[in-house]
Amino acid sequence: MTNKILFIANWKMFGDLKSIKSIESVINISKKKRYRKAKIIYCPPFTLLNNFVIKTKKSTISIGAQNCHHEKDPGPFTGSISSSMIKKIGAEYVIVGHSENRSNGETNKQINDKIRNAITNNLNVIFCIGESLSDKKNKKTNSIISKQINLGLNKIEKIDKIIFAYEPVWSIGTGKVLKNQDLKKQILNIKNIIFKKFRKQKAKIIYGGSVNNKNINDLKQISQLDGFLIGGASQNSKKFIDIIKKTIN
Ligand code: PEP
């Protein structure tokens, strides 16, 4: 996996065939020497995966899916898509454990199955972890994250294909972000949890939750971060480019 600064765009349930044109400006900057330290990954909805793979073919941009089913294909799972199907279409990444899916009943066991299938199919995994507002209020952040990591990565020995995305649930789409010093402390706590389970292996950690072109100047100061997972602001190419430019410059 790359050692560049990660800018992962999570388009969620947004985008249609017309919106593909809007990423041309991002493709252009990805080709500039000045931004070669950036690794851009687009995670569009399933319906646009193939279009994004084709559109970004001659660039360094990679494509990821936003989820996968926990069972292997083929199987009687109406409406579902497996990690091997995602791989075959040309995507290289998959988001697993996003809080919007956890809140719909996705379990740690299913997350673990998804991650193991994804790795078997040679996909890189963007593994989302993070506490809810009530966890935070009850000072359960570290125990929740520890549980998510231990159960989500059960029977997994190597983490070279995993990107840990710390996304506090209360921060997603709300405009609320931890103060830099608190976020830094939290990232170090997570690194500790990972270190206990996967000694000596280097963990990649990114932050997600209301990242925008204003707060990026603060967030980029956290040297322990390997990049950002960006929802809302990534759907606007001008804002997304601004985030990349401000981080790299
Ligand atoms: C996300 O959903 O992964 C996310 C980070 O969203 P937003 O940037 O909109 O908070």
Side-chain angles (χ1 to χ4, degrees), residues 10 12 98 100 167 171-174 208-211 229-233:
N10 176 12
K12 311 193 185 206
H98 194 285
E100 286 158 9
E167 296 209 300
S171 178
I172 294 177
T174 60
S210 295
V211 176
L229 178 52
I230 306 152

Side-chain angles (χ1 to χ4, degrees), residues 30-164:
S30 76
K31 291 180 178 164
K32 293 203 171 133
K33 220 169 152 189
R34 182 172 194 161
Y35 299 109
R36 67 183 162 200
K37 275 195 279 176
K39 174 69 187 172
I40 300 166
I41 300 162
Y42 268 104
C43 300
F46 288 129
T47 48
L48 297 178
L49 273 180
N50 190 31
N51 306 77
F52 269 62
V53 166
I54 293 166
K55 186 86 182 169
T56 56
K57 215 169 199 132
K58 290 191 186 122
S59 76
T60 56
I61 295 178
S62 295
I63 304 303
Q66 295 172 19
N67 198 0
C68 60
H69 196 263
H70 56 276
E71 297 277 357
K72 295 185 182 103
D73 67 86
F77 305 105
T78 305
S80 301
I81 292 178
S82 69
S83 43
S84 95
M85 290 168 167
I86 292 165
K87 179 70 185 180
K88 280 181 202 152
I89 209 158
E92 296 167 72
Y93 292 78
V94 61
I95 297 174
V96 177
H98 194 285
S99 58
E100 286 158 9
N101 294 323
R102 288 184 191 261
S103 67
N104 277 334
E106 183 189 52
T107 64
N108 283 312
K109 164 84 174 80
Q110 287 172 340
I111 289 169
N112 180 240
D113 288 341
K114 288 179 185 194
I115 295 176
R116 287 166 54 199
N117 282 337
I119 292 174
T120 305
N121 283 294
N122 211 16
L123 284 172
N124 297 297
V125 176
I126 301 151
F127 174 35
C128 299
I129 49 178
E131 79 286 3
S132 67
L133 190 58
S134 74
D135 297 331
K136 180 173 148 69
K137 283 184 178 156
N138 294 318
K139 304 208 178 321
K140 284 189 179 160
T141 299
N142 282 340
S143 64
I144 286 293
I145 290 176
S146 180
K147 189 172 170 190
Q148 289 171 341
I149 291 175
N150 282 307
L151 297 181
L153 300 183
N154 186 31
K155 294 190 196 146
I156 289 172
E157 281 172 9
K158 280 171 70 192
I159 53 171
D160 55 329
K161 293 186 83 61
I162 295 174
I163 298 163
F164 293 82

Side-chain angles (χ1 to χ4, degrees), residues 2 4-7 25-40 60-61 240-249:
T2 178
K4 297 181 178 189
I5 306 168
L6 297 160
F7 296 92
S25 51
V26 180
I27 297 174
N28 289 341
I29 80 137
S30 76
K31 291 180 178 164
K32 293 203 171 133
K33 220 169 152 189
R34 182 172 194 161
Y35 299 109
R36 67 183 162 200
K37 275 195 279 176
K39 174 69 187 172
I40 300 166
T60 56
I61 295 178
F240 192 39
I241 289 173
D242 210 17
I243 291 171
I244 297 167
K245 284 188 172 172
K246 284 180 174 163
T247 309
I248 301 290
N249 287 338

